[in-house]
Amino acid sequence: DAGITQSPRHKVTETGTPVTLRCHQTENHRYMYWYRQDPGHGLRLIHYSYGVKDTDKGEVSDGYSVSRSKTEDFLLTLESATSSQTSVYFCAISAGSEAFFGQGTRLTVV
Amino acid sequence: SQQGEEDPQALSIQEGENATMNCSYKTSINNLQWYRQNSGRGLVHLILIRSNEREKHSGRLRVTLDTSKKSSSLLITASRAADTASYFCATGSSGGYQKVTFGTGTKLQVIP
């Protein structure tokens, strides 16, 4: 999986609690992305980063924030989790026109 | 908003047969990519075709692109049980990978 590690792989959390997902890469790529995957929607971009401390919003950014303090780490935070944020979350890095994906984090908000 | 729509949504074939999946999109693109996703895993890049190309091959994969019809097809020849996965098309425009939009996927089952 191209040196991308997501943690945790599975998480169950309660509505209203904060949650942070971590993506770690060993490839030293500048661009990193967070997607969510839901049935019937394919992958949708939440946020992306184009460098340390440089981030921007994607298609479905409401309710999510990100931080990138080091090249290798990109964090996705749900400030106050809601049931609509139950999903599988994927981190990706890109090299040119191709992307490499992590194995995903399955998040359930109850 | 979704750019690519795959067809069919699900496909079941016997091992050794060919599998064809189609992708239609709405706006002009710079390139189109196909990805495979095995159950419980991340997406794996298969092949990229640029807007000025009509056909591309990679091993048992053949991709065509018809920009006039805004459609692409992925052909997997001599399918194997290991090809069982979901296949996604992703369309890219100029402006970086953050502009890539994924379709909803075709779930392929290859029966041994």
Side-chain angles (χ1 to χ4, degrees), chain A residues 29-42:
Chain A
H29 282 303
R30 181 179 165 200
Y31 281 84
M32 298 184 75
Y33 310 83
W34 276 107
Y35 292 89
R36 60 179 290 174
Q37 184 177 35
D38 304 287
H41 287 279

Side-chain angles (χ1 to χ4, degrees), chain B residues 29-101:
Chain B
I29 61 171
N30 181 271
N31 62 74
L32 187 144
Q33 306 173 52
W34 285 91
Y35 285 81
R36 183 188 73 231
Q37 183 180 34
N38 292 90
S39 181
R41 310 273 298 195
L43 277 70
V44 174
H45 186 264
L46 294 176
I47 195 167
L48 178 149
I49 186 166
R50 301 194 185 281
S51 60
N52 61 354
E53 297 176 305
R54 291 296 167 257
E55 187 171 312
K56 204 160 183 179
H57 297 254
S58 177
R60 293 183 296 113
L61 306 179
R62 172 178 168 247
V63 170
T64 62
L65 179 64
D66 187 336
T67 53
S68 66
K69 294 181 179 177
K70 292 187 169 55
S71 67
S72 172
S73 68
L74 171 67
L75 168 68
I76 304 173
T77 60
S79 63
R80 305 166 182 169
D83 294 327
T84 294
S86 291
Y87 292 82
F88 295 86
C89 69
T91 52
S93 58
S94 59
Y97 198 87
Q98 60 272 18
K99 300 293 186 184
V100 169
T101 309

Side-chain angles (χ1 to χ4, degrees), chain A residues 1 11 19 22-23 33 37 39 41 45 48-49 56 62 64-65 72 75 79 83 86 88 91 103 106 108:
Chain A
D1 293 308
K11 186 168 181 68
V19 177
R22 179 178 182 245
C23 178
Y33 310 83
Q37 184 177 35
H41 287 279
L45 182 64
Y48 68 97
S49 170
D56 206 347
D62 287 349
Y64 302 95
S65 62
E72 57 267 35
L75 304 181
E79 301 290 347
S83 58
T86 292
V88 181
C91 174
Q103 295 206 32
R106 184 173 294 275
T108 303

